[in-house]
Amino acid sequence: MRRRLLIALTVFAAIAVLAFAVPLSLTVATSRTQQLVLARSGDADRFANLAAAASTAGDSRALSDEVGRYHELYGENVLVVDAKGATTANGGANMEDPGIAAAVAAARRNQRPHAENQLTPWGAPTMLIARPVGTGVQVNGAVVIEASTARARADIAQTWALIVLGGVFAMALFTLLALTLSRWVLRPLAALSHAVADLTATLPKPRAESLAAAHPVSIARHHGGPPEMRAVAESFDTMALAVADSVDAQRQLVADTAHAMRNPLAALMIRLDSLEHAVPANAANTFRSAGAEVERLTALLDGLLALASAETPAAFDAVGLEEVDDHHCDAVQVVADRFDAWSSAYAAAGQELHVSPPIGHADVAISADVLAQILDVPLSNSCRYAGTGAKTVLTVAAEPGWVTLTVHDDGTGVPADEIDRLSTRFFRGSTAVSGGSGLGLPIAAALAQARGGTLTVASAHPHGLAVHVRLPAAESA
């Protein structure tokens, strides 16, 4: 993958350098060509003026002297002819050269000079600059300068060499940056790949049915990419299948254990009930305590099974917590139902249960049965532990995308250092003096989290406890 990334970055860098260097080189060559043409065109115009003056005066000695000095000074050939094509002054020009003859003929016909080709370091050694002598109406001769392009071509070559050196330096800098960038990008990926591979090697192999079920959604098979990414995807697929198998195995183990232990416990309870009439009076309390412990152990097994099901989203349908066609409900209606169901229990405990004024409708993305199961946990805790005379209020509040249900009481509450531990498995607050397995709030929290919500516990002012259940609204889920 690093090689591919380096190749891609290098190609992009080369394109960027060429996109800058090539136009710059062409611009330099064009500018130097125009500079040479303008300079020699000025000289040709000057000689044309001198030739016109010599033709008027009938004396061409001054013109010949000027052409000779120009040839000696610059080493460039100059030819001046009259209206009939006869040589007036010649500074080294070859009259038999076809190029010079063609330039003279074109100038005598007063043709516009053609655009000179752009010079290059490997271009022609000379350039012909021709001008007519006389006005635009009457042509009295022609001037041709055979200009040397050596210096201009050398300047162009020097500038192009600097541009090439700059491009090479830029490419070296871009390559260094590409190496640094590729290392920075790929080092975490390499570490992740090794870590996932090492972790996958320690996991049990996925079952054949798991592989067959996961084949349609395999990341490694349905997404392309370099070999390193495919290797990570394959390791991730294997790890995900192994983790899913482990979760299913854990849930099945809990369910099988609870089921296997429930039958002996039920048989033990039957035997204890059958022995009740034969228990002596002095052992009655011990007998009742044994029966209570058996009932508590049975409730603990049921709670473990419920917690395992709540923490495994794939198991919800299997245990009947979700209806296939009913994934939302009206929270206000569920709260009203729970109020009716718990009012008598609160009255028997010497407490009050109230519902805040309804807000109309508040649809949440959860079934009524699961929401009732979540609310029953804080209601049960409040009824059992808030204390005589406590007042509990059920509240429903809506906000964009969310619905919050609160069970608030003004009872004895829980010490501040125990608030964060109430949703921990098997933890029971110091104020819970009787009953309870410490699994109620963890089960309710797992049910809420599995559906994209949260369950939080907070102290109430001045005393008491508040449980907030925040769930996604049905329209936003």
Side-chain angles (χ1 to χ4, degrees), residues 8 11 90 112 198 223 232 241 322 338 369 404 445:
V11 168
N90 188 353
R112 294 178 58 85
D198 294 341
H223 294 278
V232 173
L241 292 175
E322 287 281 13
R338 303 328 297 155
D369 292 339
T404 302

Side-chain angles (χ1 to χ4, degrees), residues 337-347 353 372 375-377 379-381 383:
D337 293 341
R338 303 328 297 155
F339 172 78
D340 293 338
W342 282 93
S343 293
S344 58
Y346 273 81
L353 179 61
L375 291 178
D376 282 345
V377 173
L379 287 172
S380 175
N381 291 343
C383 183

Side-chain angles (χ1 to χ4, degrees), residues 50-51 58 132 138 150 167 178 236 238 243 250 333 341 373 393 399 406 466:
L50 292 176
Q138 181 179 0
F236 185 85
T238 304
V243 170
Q250 179 186 13
Q333 182 61 45
Q373 184 178 355
V393 180
E399 59 181 292
T406 303

Side-chain angles (χ1 to χ4, degrees), residues 262-309:
R262 190 183 290 111
N263 291 335
L265 287 174
L268 179 60
M269 180 61 69
I270 293 174
R271 290 177 181 272
L272 289 175
D273 291 341
S274 65
L275 293 175
E276 185 175 5
H277 65 279
V279 175
N282 59 354
N285 290 334
T286 303
F287 177 80
R288 285 191 293 270
S289 297
E293 289 299 323
V294 173
E295 292 178 353
R296 179 175 178 274
L297 185 57
T298 302
L300 183 61
L301 289 175
D302 293 338
L304 285 173
L305 179 59
L307 181 61
S309 300

Side-chain angles (χ1 to χ4, degrees), residues 30-324:
T30 301
S31 176
R32 189 64 179 88
T33 302
Q34 292 177 349
Q35 181 180 357
L36 177 62
V37 170
L38 290 175
R40 296 303 180 266
S41 296
D43 294 340
D45 291 336
R46 183 168 64 85
F47 284 125
N49 292 331
L50 292 176
S55 176
T56 301
D59 185 3
S60 61
R61 288 178 298 177
L63 175 61
S64 298
D65 293 341
E66 188 67 24
V67 169
R69 285 194 298 268
Y70 184 89
H71 175 67
E72 293 175 359
L73 180 62
Y74 296 107
E76 296 180 352
N77 302 328
V78 180
L79 176 64
V80 181
V81 299
D82 58 15
K84 297 180 179 180
T87 301
T88 303
N90 188 353
N94 183 7
M95 294 294 296
E96 298 180 357
D97 188 339
I100 295 178
V104 169
R108 290 177 60 199
R109 291 192 298 269
N110 199 18
Q111 292 181 351
R112 294 178 58 85
H114 65 277
E116 298 295 337
N117 295 329
Q118 187 181 70
L119 291 177
T120 59
W122 51 85
T126 59
M127 174 188 298
L128 295 178
I129 305 296
R131 288 291 184 272
V133 177
T135 62
V137 177
Q138 181 179 0
V139 176
N140 296 324
V143 176
V144 176
I145 297 179
E146 191 176 9
S148 173
T149 61
R151 184 172 180 179
R153 288 186 291 110
D155 293 342
I156 294 173
Q158 182 179 2
T159 306
W160 282 15
L162 293 176
I163 294 174
V164 170
L165 289 177
V168 171
F169 177 77
M171 282 299 301
L173 180 61
F174 286 148
T175 303
L176 180 61
L177 291 177
L179 287 171
T180 304
L181 181 61
S182 63
R183 281 203 199 99
W184 179 69
V185 171
L186 297 180
R187 186 180 293 127
L189 179 61
L192 176 63
S193 178
H194 293 311
V196 172
D198 294 341
L199 178 60
T200 304
T202 63
L203 296 175
K205 298 299 181 182
R207 301 191 305 270
E209 55 269 24
S210 298
L211 289 172
H215 176 74
V217 294
S218 173
I219 298 175
R221 293 179 180 272
H222 281 76
H223 294 278
E228 294 85 351
M229 293 300 297
R230 290 198 298 270
V232 173
E234 291 174 357
S235 299
F236 185 85
D237 285 340
T238 304
M239 181 177 64
L241 292 175
V243 170
D245 282 349
S246 299
V247 171
D248 290 340
Q250 179 186 13
R251 181 181 63 83
Q252 191 63 40
L253 175 63
V254 173
D256 292 344
T257 302
H259 179 73
M261 294 184 67
R262 190 183 290 111
N263 291 335
L265 287 174
L268 179 60
M269 180 61 69
I270 293 174
R271 290 177 181 272
L272 289 175
D273 291 341
S274 65
L275 293 175
E276 185 175 5
H277 65 279
V279 175
N282 59 354
N285 290 334
T286 303
F287 177 80
R288 285 191 293 270
S289 297
E293 289 299 323
V294 173
E295 292 178 353
R296 179 175 178 274
L297 185 57
T298 302
L300 183 61
L301 289 175
D302 293 338
L304 285 173
L305 179 59
L307 181 61
S309 300
E311 290 182 339
T312 308
F316 285 146
D317 290 339
V319 298
L321 296 181
E322 287 281 13
E323 297 294 335
V324 175

